[in-house]
Amino acid sequence: MRIAVIGGGPGGLYFACLMKQWRPSAEITVFERNKADDTFGFGVVFSDATLDIFERYDAESYRAITDHFAYWDDIQINFRDTVHRVGGNGFCGCSRQTLLILLQRRARALGVTLQFETEVEPDLSAFAGYDLVVAADGINSRIREAHRDHFQPEVDLRPNKFTWMGSTRPLDAFTFFFRETPHGIFIAHTYQYEPGRSTWVIETDPATFARAGLDKLDEEASARFLEGIFAEELAGHPLITNRSLWRQFPMIRTRRWVKDNVVLMGDAKGTAHFSIGAGTKLAMEDAIALFDAFRAKGSVAEALAAYENDRREEVERTQHAADVSLVWFEHLDRFADMDPRQFAFGLMTRSKAITYDNLRLRAPDFVADVDRMFAETVAGADLAAPRPPLFQPLHLRGMTLDNRAVVSPMCMYSAVDGLPNDWHTVHYGARAVGGAGLLYTEMTCVAPDARITPGCTGLWNDAQEAAWTRIVDFVHGHSRAKICLQLGHAGRKGASRLMWEGMDRPLAEGGWPLVSASPLPYYPDSQVPTELDEAGMERIIAEFVAATTRGARCGFDMLEMHAAHGYLIASFLSPLTNKRTDAYGGSLDNRLRFPLAVFRAIRDAWPSDRPMSVRISATDWHEDGLTADDSIAIARAFAKAGIDLVDVSTGQTSPASRPVYGRMFQTPFADAIRNEADVLTMCVGNITSADQMNTILAAGRADLVALGRPHLADPSFMLKAAAWYGIDIHQPPQYLPGKDQALRNAVKDRADFEALKVAAKPKRHAKGTFDQAAE
C-alpha cells in the first residue's frame, strides 16, 4: 500500500506513525514544504483525556511527548484587579517544535520517509500511483482550494484581531489576562509549555485594534506596544515574535472531506478557535479516526467513507463549542461591567462544556463565591448560606417568584370553541404543584379568528373566563407558583390543523379568514391572508384589551403579549413577512408601530402592580430576516414602553428558516438582549437540566429559565431538582410523605456523583511539571 501524506504537521506525522506501526510493509511518505526544524507558533495544548488516547494508540510517542511537557491543573482569570483560580482541569503544554521533532523521530524509526522542502502541486497529478493521499496541508490547504467545487469549504472570517507570541514569563496555570485601556480591552490567552517559555495569544476587537493604531505597526513594533499594555502581567519579561502577524481567525467547514482516494485532515477540513485550544488535538484525533477506519474496513473507499461518516459528528461538536467560545470573546463588552465573580464564571462556562455542577464538583469554593455574588443581587436572600441561583427568588413589580424555573408556554390544542377543559386543569395543576416558580399558559387567543387551530384556547367570552378562573384558583390554592396569561393572535398561521395532524398545515375544511401584515401565505398552499388595514388594527387592539381585562379578573399574576413565531404581531416585526409600503412597513421603527400600539393598550388595561412580558423571535434563522441588532433594538423599544421581561425565542417565522439546533441553542440571544438592551430576559430552547439552568443564571445570560418538554415528561421536575441540591421548597401537604423518599433518592444520587471526583481528578501522565525543584 502506497500512502502520501501532504503536510508534515502533528496530524499528518501521527497518522503516518500509526499506519506504519500497524502495516510495516506499507510505503508511507510525508511531504512537507518547510524545513525539518521550521516551526511557527510556540506551544500546543492537550487535555488529560487526549493524552489518555495517545497512550492507548502509540505508547512510544506518548512517552516521548509526556517527557517534554509542562502540566497544569488550574485555570486562572485575572480581571479588574481580581484573581480567580479554578482547579480540576488537567492540561499540559508542549513546544510545537519539540512535538514535531519527536513525531519526526518516531516516524523515521518506524520506517516512514520524510521529504522536507518539497512543494506539492495541488492537482496531485504526481500521486497517481498512490493508493491513499492524505491532505494535511493546514488551514490554507492548497489541495482543498484547488478542488473547492468538490470539497465545498465555507469560511467564516471572524472579526476579532489576534496575534500569536511567546514570552520567557513562567506561568503555573492556564491564565487569562484582561487589560482595560483607553483604546479598549485586550485579552491575553497564556500558558507555559516548557521551562522558561510560555505562549501568549493576544486578542482584541476591531475597534480597539484601530484606536490603538496597531494596523500601522509592524511585527516588532506591535510586540513592544503589547509589552507596554501587559507590562504588569509580563513582570519584566519580553514578548517574543515568530511570524506574529495580526490576523483574523477563519472558521472553516467543508461539506465533503473525501474525493476519490484523497482525504482532508486537520485544519485542511475544518478549524476550531484557539480559545478552546483544539487545533492540534483535533488534527491528531483525526489521524486516530482515519487509522481506526482503515483497521475496521477492507478497502480505501470503505475506510474513507467510514472516517467521514463517523468522525464528522465529533468534529462538528467541537467546532460548535469553539463557535460559542469565540463569540464570548467577540462580545466582551457585554460582560465587562459584571461583578468579577460572575465574569469569571461566564468565562469558564462559555462553551457549554463546563457547567455549574461540574465546577461545583471541581472548584466548590469558587462556586460558593458565585452563589454569594448572585444572592447579593436578590433582596432578602440569605447571604450566609446562599442557595444556588435557580432557587433564588425574583421580584417583578408586585409579584415575587419563589425560584427562577418556568414552565414554558406550550399549546395543548385540546380546547373546544376556545374553552379550556379538564385536560387543561390537570395539565396546569400538575405542573403548578411540581415546584416551578412561574407557569405560563399556552397562547390564548383574543378572538375566534385569532386561533392557530380549532383546538386553541381563547379568552373572549364569559365561559372561557370562568374556566380560566378555575385553573388560576387551583394554582393559587394548591401551590406557590405564579401563573402568566399569554395572549396572542395567529395571523397568517391561523386556520391550521392540530399539531399531530400536520403542524401549521392549512385546514382542509372549516377554516376562517386570516389577516397579516402583508398578504403572504405561510406555505404556498396556505390561505392568503388579507393585509391588515388601520380599521382592522383598531379592532384587534380592542380584542387584546378585552381579553386583558378578562385576564385581570381571572386573577392571573402576569401577562405576556406573544410577538414571536410568525404570528400576527410578529408578522409586523420581521422583514420576511412585512412588505408594507405605508407607515407600518419599511424601517424597524415603522415595523414596531403596531406591536407597540398593542402593547401600550394592554399595559394600560393591565393592573399597574402586575408585570408584563413580551415574547419575541430574536432571529428568523434566515439571511433576509431579523438580525441580532434588530432584536436588541426591539427589546429596547419594549423596555422603553414599560415591559418587565423579554421572553426570548427564535424562528418559526418562515418555512424557509434554517435553525442551528443544539443544547441551550437559543440562550445566546437572551444573553445578548439582556446584556445589551439592559432588560430582564427569559431563555428557552433545549434546556433540559437544573444544572444547565444554574449555569445560565449564574453567568448572567438570563434571569428566568423556561423548560417545555422536560416539564411535559416530568411535572415534578423542580421538586426533584430541589432534592438533588438539598433545597427545601414548598410542596402541597398531600405530597409530603413522598418528600423524604425524594431526599433519600437524591442523597444516593449525590453520593454516586461525589464518587466521580476520583475519576474527575486530573491525571498526571508523567512527572511533567513546570519546575522539578519547586515540585
Side-chain angles (χ1 to χ4, degrees):
M1 186 177 186
R2 297 188 72 201
I3 301 172
V5 179
I6 315 301
L13 286 168
Y14 197 54
F15 175 73
C17 291
L18 295 178
M19 285 294 287
K20 189 67 175 177
Q21 181 179 237
W22 176 56
R23 279 194 176 183
S25 63
E27 178 190 324
I28 304 176
T29 306
V30 177
F31 300 88
E32 169 57 43
R33 65 186 304 182
N34 296 308
K35 297 177 182 177
D37 57 353
D38 279 350
T39 187
F40 308 105
F42 297 88
V44 296
V45 179
F46 298 123
S47 68
D48 269 335
T50 302
L51 291 175
D52 283 339
I53 296 170
F54 292 170
E55 186 176 19
R56 291 200 306 271
Y57 277 84
D58 183 23
E60 187 73 24
S61 62
Y62 161 81
R63 284 192 292 271
I65 293 168
T66 52
D67 281 344
H68 293 82
F69 69 37
Y71 190 97
W72 66 87
D73 185 34
D74 291 353
I75 291 177
Q76 179 170 306
I77 300 160
N78 293 50
F79 175 67
R80 262 202 255 132
D81 300 322
T82 68
V83 177
H84 296 277
R85 285 181 77 100
V86 179
N89 297 285
F91 283 93
C92 77
C94 178
S95 161
R96 178 177 169 81
Q97 185 175 44
T98 299
L99 177 63
L100 289 173
I101 290 170
L102 293 173
L103 290 174
Q104 289 168 11
R105 188 179 301 158
R106 175 65 173 151
R108 287 194 186 97
L110 288 166
V112 175
T113 302
L114 305 181
Q115 291 190 17
F116 295 98
E117 299 181 78
T118 302
E119 196 71 58
V120 171
E121 290 303 317
D123 64 5
L124 301 179
S125 56
F127 295 90
Y130 283 82
D131 301 291
L132 173 67
V133 178
V134 179
D137 54 340
I139 203 166
N140 297 311
S141 171
R142 295 179 67 208
I143 294 173
R144 181 194 67 223
E145 292 305 302
H147 305 277
R148 64 179 298 118
D149 287 348
H150 176 83
F151 292 119
Q152 297 183 41
E154 296 177 0
V155 182
D156 178 11
L157 197 61
R158 304 307 302 182
N160 271 14
K161 304 282 188 175
F162 76 96
T163 181
W164 206 291
M165 296 187 178
S167 179
T168 56
R169 161 80 150 94
L171 297 163
D172 66 350
F174 192 111
T175 306
F176 292 98
F177 294 112
F178 297 87
R179 177 56 65 187
E180 296 177 275
T181 76
H183 312 294
I185 300 177
F186 286 87
I187 312 157
H189 311 240
T190 70
Y191 57 89
Q192 185 160 322
Y193 60 87
E194 64 182 32
R197 288 290 185 272
S198 52
T199 290
W200 288 62
V201 182
I202 298 174
E203 177 182 13
T204 193
D205 63 87
T208 300
F209 182 82
R211 284 192 293 265
L214 285 162
D215 54 331
K216 301 177 179 65
L217 301 183
D218 62 18
E219 185 178 0
E220 288 304 315
S222 286
R224 305 293 81 80
F225 175 86
L226 293 172
E227 285 175 349
I229 295 293
F230 291 103
E232 181 179 336
E233 291 80 2
L234 286 162
H237 291 266
L239 285 173
I240 303 167
T241 60
N242 181 359
R243 291 185 63 178
S244 304
L245 305 176
W246 288 98
R247 67 199 78 177
Q248 293 167 259
F249 189 85
M251 282 300 297
I252 299 173
R253 290 174 171 81
T254 48
R255 187 176 296 271
R256 297 189 183 95
W257 297 359
V258 175
K259 182 180 187 297
D260 301 323
N261 68 333
V262 179
V263 59
L264 302 180
M265 195 173 74
D267 285 346
K269 64 153 190 18
T271 59
H273 192 252
F274 56 80
S275 62
I276 65 168
T280 303
K281 162 188 152 60
L282 271 181
M284 294 182 72
E285 289 180 355
D286 283 351
I288 290 169
L290 184 57
F291 168 64
D292 277 345
F294 273 94
R295 286 200 301 182
K297 300 297 179 180
S299 68
V300 170
E302 290 174 319
L304 296 186
Y307 162 71
E308 178 165 7
N309 182 68
D310 297 343
R311 178 69 177 145
R312 184 177 286 276
E313 182 178 348
E314 179 60 31
V315 169
E316 289 181 352
R317 184 184 296 117
T318 302
Q319 287 184 309
H320 176 68
D323 283 348
V324 176
S325 176
L326 70 87
V327 168
W328 192 90
F329 289 101
E330 289 174 356
H331 294 286
L332 198 61
D333 55 328
R334 291 178 186 165
F335 319 115
D337 293 331
M338 284 183 170
D339 182 293
R341 293 166 290 183
Q342 188 167 56
F343 180 92
F345 184 88
L347 172 60
M348 288 298 303
T349 60
R350 68 193 182 278
S351 72
K352 301 186 288 189
I354 296 175
T355 64
Y356 178 91
D357 279 359
N358 182 267
L359 285 174
R360 199 167 181 238
L361 183 69
R362 294 190 289 127
D365 291 342
F366 172 68
V367 173
D369 206 21
V370 171
D371 286 347
R372 279 190 293 274
M373 172 277 302
F374 197 91
E376 289 165 5
T377 68
V378 180
D382 182 358
L383 300 182
R387 294 181 164 203
L390 177 58
F391 299 96
Q392 293 288 358
L394 179 67
H395 308 286
L396 291 173
R397 298 204 183 208
M399 181 183 78
T400 297
L401 304 177
D402 272 8
N403 57 63
R404 307 295 180 104
V406 179
V407 178
S408 193
M410 294 174 284
C411 288
M412 293 290 103
Y413 306 109
S414 300
V416 177
D417 295 328
L419 185 68
N421 52 44
D422 288 348
W423 173 268
H424 300 86
T425 303
V426 172
H427 168 71
Y428 292 113
R431 280 139 194 89
V433 300
L438 181 61
L439 178 72
Y440 270 74
T441 72
E442 61 196 274
M443 188 176 97
T444 302
C445 304
V446 298
D449 61 353
R451 291 175 297 165
I452 310 166
T453 75
C456 290
T457 59
L459 191 48
W460 64 78
N461 62 36
D462 293 345
Q464 294 161 355
E465 183 178 329
W468 279 118
T469 300
R470 180 188 176 213
I471 292 170
V472 172
D473 287 348
F474 182 93
V475 170
H476 289 161
H478 298 280
S479 78
R480 296 187 46 162
K482 306 300 182 185
I483 183 165
C484 177
L485 170 65
Q486 187 189 71
L487 289 180
H489 190 299
R492 72 173 186 152
K493 294 175 77 174
S496 296
R497 303 174 195 173
L498 302 183
M499 176 188 68
W500 47 87
E501 295 176 353
M503 189 170 179
D504 296 326
R505 300 303 308 178
L507 287 169
E509 56 183 25
W512 49 86
L514 304 180
V515 294
S516 188
S518 297
L520 303 171
Y522 187 71
Y523 286 115
D525 61 341
S526 296
Q527 182 186 150
V528 178
T530 299
E531 181 171 290
L532 197 62
D533 58 18
E534 292 198 3
M537 293 179 201
E538 290 301 320
R539 173 180 61 82
I540 287 169
I541 290 173
E543 291 169 347
F544 268 93
V545 169
T548 297
T549 303
R550 288 184 182 276
R553 290 200 297 261
C554 291
F556 284 103
D557 302 289
M558 182 173 170
L559 178 69
E560 175 164 288
M561 183 181 81
H562 201 319
H565 300 169
Y567 297 128
L568 178 64
I569 297 176
S571 72
F572 278 83
L573 293 172
S574 173
L576 294 177
T577 48
N578 187 336
K579 302 298 184 181
R580 302 172 73 105
T581 57
D582 62 3
Y584 296 91
S587 69
L588 182 58
D589 285 344
N590 282 0
R591 303 199 309 270
L592 270 161
R593 188 185 299 265
F594 176 63
L596 287 174
V598 178
F599 172 75
R600 292 188 182 104
I602 58 178
R603 179 67 267 184
D604 288 345
W606 187 244
S608 62
D609 62 334
R610 300 189 208 178
M612 281 188 63
S613 59
V614 60
R615 170 166 273 205
I616 66 169
S617 287
T619 176
D620 294 320
W621 298 109
H622 191 289
E623 62 182 357
D624 298 322
L626 288 167
T627 67
D629 288 343
D630 288 340
S631 63
I632 291 167
I634 289 168
R636 285 186 177 130
F638 278 109
K640 186 177 179 180
I643 205 70
D644 301 290
L645 177 80
V646 179
D647 175 2
V648 184
S649 187
T650 65
Q652 301 181 52
T653 306
S654 164
S657 66
R658 293 293 177 266
V660 180
Y661 293 110
R663 286 176 300 131
M664 303 178 277
F665 73 106
Q666 296 179 135
T667 299
F669 300 97
D671 183 348
I673 289 170
R674 180 186 190 270
N675 292 302
E676 293 203 28
D678 194 25
V679 60
L680 300 185
T681 61
M682 180 170 81
C683 63
V684 300
N686 206 12
I687 303 164
T688 58
S689 70
D691 178 27
Q692 292 174 353
M693 299 166 84
N694 272 317
T695 304
I696 291 165
L697 293 164
R701 297 184 177 116
D703 302 278
L704 289 173
V705 183
L707 277 66
R709 289 179 177 86
H711 275 124
L712 289 181
D714 186 358
S716 298
F717 177 92
M718 277 301 291
L719 296 181
K720 292 180 180 177
W724 170 261
Y725 287 102
I727 303 296
D728 188 18
I729 66 172
H730 177 268
Q731 293 189 38
Q734 296 92 332
Y735 284 6
L736 289 178
K739 182 177 178 181
D740 290 341
Q741 184 61 49
L743 287 171
R744 282 193 293 270
N745 291 342
V747 167
K748 179 182 180 299
D749 291 344
R750 175 61 67 181
D752 293 341
F753 187 60
E754 292 292 329
L756 293 175
K757 284 184 177 179
V758 175
K761 194 170 184 179
K763 172 184 175 185
R764 287 190 180 274
H765 283 258
K767 61 184 180 180
T769 58
F770 294 102
D771 182 281
Q772 292 298 328
E775 182 69 10

